[in-house]
Amino acid sequence: MINEDMYALGAAPNKIREIFAYGLDRKAQIGDDKVFDLSIGNPSVPSPAIVDETIARLAKEGKGTMHAYSMSPGLVEARAAIAENLNKRFNQNYSAANLYLTAGASSAICIAIKAVVLPGEELIAITPYFPEYKTWASNAGAVTVEVPARTSDFQLDIPAIEAAITPKTAAIVINSPNNPVGSVYSDENLKQLADLLRAKNAELGRTIYLISDEPYRELVYDGLVPAWVPDLYEATFVCYSWSKSFSLPGERIGYLLVPNTMPDWQRVYTACSGAGRSLGYICDSVLFQKVVAECVDAPVEIEPYDRNRKILLDGLREIGYNVIEPQGAFYMWIEALEPDAEAFCEVCRQHELLLVPSNGFLTQGWTRVGYCCSEETIRGSLKAFKEVYDEYQAR
Ligand code: PLP
């Protein structure tokens, strides 16, 4: 006998990977330069040189216990270096004890949910959202309650969140800079959320946790500085990874921060350790823990994404698409030219343009365009976007 729920999850199509696999096949058939794959969030900017050099040096120097297990939360020196980096950047007072190193932001979110959302309780997620939140909530026996972002600007819709909070609400997960929209929540918007959560905590006699999913933190444009969310709301987990900032998604290195401002933070941290253990995490990659310990202060290169963003935004608007101007991450949210986003993406595919329909993010009628690819691909894609637009105009 097998677990049928797990079978269903394993058999469920992963839309983005499906499109990506199709793109690879198609490129092999007709040539790399003829397919415009704007589907997956694999960064195209190379990892910082210092990261590559450190990996090579550590691998060469490594002997004896270099590759041994670390303690489950990670090496103290790696956690201390990350804490120091956060203290400098955000004027905090964290230490190694606040950090649990994880296999990317994914594991951090999954652990945080498991630690504070009990079976039968509710996790609020803002649509459109990274769809794995629902899987992780379900793994904790919890229910995901979906609240749409504000349609005018894709910021948090505070009255809608208020209406969705019930005595069973244990946590809310937010993601800024946002995948798939590219929005960055304003300080004001986040303060309103914090005020709402504090009022609800008092009313319901519990703590509603805020899980801040931030793998795109440094990928922001036009000088924008995203708020440090724990400064606004005490019971905030920060889930981070170097997947996007250092272009290391395949290496699985990130962290869960349990700030010392969180009520009862040491007990919460211990529950996170238990959650990690129950989910089978032994420790994060030790090689990459050491890499991050040495390179955590390295600057993040955003110019190539910013260039792509501007070319795409101007090009799509000139053609006539309704586009949400992204402030961060490396995705653009464009309105499909028909209500059925899947059908629209199918038409795009016929023009060798590979996009992700919004259904994959629990929303109808939009499409995610990833611009973490080469500038050449972005420029080439605009011709295909124009052909698609003209085809719809002619209908
Ligand atoms: N959260 C968001 C919003 C993402 O877009 C991604 C990856 O694309 C993740 C989490 C997971 O990233 P990772 O586990 O590689 O850090």
Side-chain angles (χ1 to χ4, degrees):
M1 208 153 87
I2 58 168
N3 180 328
E4 290 303 329
D5 289 343
M6 291 302 110
Y7 178 82
L9 186 59
N14 179 325
K15 196 80 203 164
I16 299 177
R17 305 228 168 234
E18 234 177 61
I19 301 168
F20 179 60
Y22 169 85
L24 292 178
D25 277 358
R26 190 72 183 141
K27 283 179 186 173
Q29 280 168 18
I30 64 169
D32 279 9
D33 58 332
K34 303 210 171 43
V35 181
F36 309 106
D37 184 356
L38 309 182
S39 64
I40 205 165
N42 247 339
S44 59
V45 168
S47 299
I50 178 83
V51 169
D52 289 343
E53 286 157 20
T54 307
I55 296 168
R57 180 173 50 74
L58 289 175
K60 199 161 163 214
E61 282 174 9
K63 30 177 136 54
T65 58
M66 161 80 189
H67 303 292
Y69 295 119
S70 71
M71 296 298 286
S72 305
L75 298 166
V76 172
E77 64 265 30
R79 292 184 287 139
I82 298 163
E84 198 42 47
N85 169 275
L86 296 176
N87 293 344
K88 274 188 297 207
R89 289 164 68 197
F90 305 113
N91 193 25
Q92 302 297 325
N93 191 21
Y94 303 139
S95 72
N98 298 106
L99 287 150
Y100 190 101
L101 303 190
T102 56
S106 299
S107 305
I109 303 161
C110 188
I111 287 174
I113 293 174
K114 185 89 173 169
V116 298
V117 187
L118 306 187
E121 289 193 327
E122 294 166 359
L123 171 77
I124 292 181
I126 311 300
T127 56
Y129 65 82
F130 183 65
E132 296 306 312
Y133 298 158
K134 197 172 181 151
T135 307
W136 300 326
S138 156
N139 195 39
V143 177
T144 308
V145 174
E146 284 155 15
V147 177
R150 226 156 51 188
T151 43
S152 52
D153 56 4
F154 288 88
Q155 295 276 307
L156 298 166
D157 186 337
I158 305 298
I161 295 173
E162 181 170 10
I165 294 177
T166 74
K168 286 189 180 170
T169 305
I172 167 165
V173 57
I174 59 169
N175 166 229
S176 172
N178 184 267
N179 171 16
V181 176
S183 49
V184 176
Y185 300 144
S186 71
D187 291 11
E188 188 49 35
N189 196 222
L190 288 166
K191 277 184 199 144
Q192 288 167 353
L193 176 67
D195 288 345
L196 168 66
L197 294 181
R198 274 191 216 102
K200 284 289 176 185
N201 289 345
E203 180 190 321
L204 300 170
R206 64 173 305 166
T207 298
I208 300 174
Y209 293 92
L210 183 55
I211 300 174
S212 184
D213 175 20
E214 314 189 349
Y216 302 94
R217 161 162 287 277
E218 292 81 11
L219 306 189
V220 281
Y221 309 108
D222 301 329
L224 202 67
V225 182
W228 183 244
V229 185
D231 271 348
L232 304 177
Y233 185 65
E234 314 69 53
T236 297
F237 292 100
V238 176
C239 303
Y240 180 82
S241 81
W242 286 271
S243 293
K244 316 293 173 172
S245 54
F246 283 1
S247 302
L248 293 173
E251 307 301 352
R252 316 307 303 133
I253 175 87
Y255 65 72
L256 173 65
L257 174 83
V258 183
N260 36 19
T261 45
M262 184 182 282
D264 241 349
W265 72 269
Q266 280 146 319
R267 267 179 64 76
V268 176
Y269 184 96
T270 305
C272 291
S273 302
R277 190 171 170 185
S278 84
L279 291 163
Y281 300 125
I282 302 295
C283 64
D284 202 10
S285 154
V286 168
L287 173 61
F288 278 87
Q289 291 188 43
K290 292 183 182 189
V291 169
V292 160
E294 290 197 29
C295 303
V296 66
D297 295 326
V300 173
E301 193 183 355
I302 59 166
E303 289 73 21
Y305 300 134
D306 196 17
R307 249 193 330 269
N308 283 354
R309 178 181 76 112
K310 288 175 178 147
I311 296 166
L312 195 59
L313 184 66
D314 290 349
L316 290 176
R317 285 195 166 153
E318 202 178 306
I319 294 168
Y321 285 94
N322 177 24
V323 187
I324 303 298
E325 179 170 349
Q327 302 164 294
F330 41 46
Y331 307 105
M332 207 170 279
W333 197 231
I334 68 169
E335 195 169 0
L337 297 178
E338 61 175 302
D340 182 345
E342 294 212 38
F344 171 69
C345 288
E346 199 38 56
V347 173
C348 292
R349 187 185 285 218
Q350 284 154 22
H351 293 266
E352 312 300 349
L353 184 55
L354 308 184
L355 312 177
V356 185
S358 57
N359 314 47
F361 305 99
L362 294 301
T363 302
Q364 306 302 318
W366 293 75
T367 305
R368 187 188 80 174
V369 181
Y371 54 87
C372 49
C373 52
S374 69
E375 186 179 323
E376 204 184 346
T377 302
I378 291 294
R379 290 194 183 278
S381 75
L382 286 171
K383 189 167 158 284
F385 273 112
K386 173 84 172 98
E387 287 166 9
V388 171
Y389 191 83
D390 289 346
E391 185 174 321
Y392 274 91
Q393 292 299 103
R395 280 186 179 189

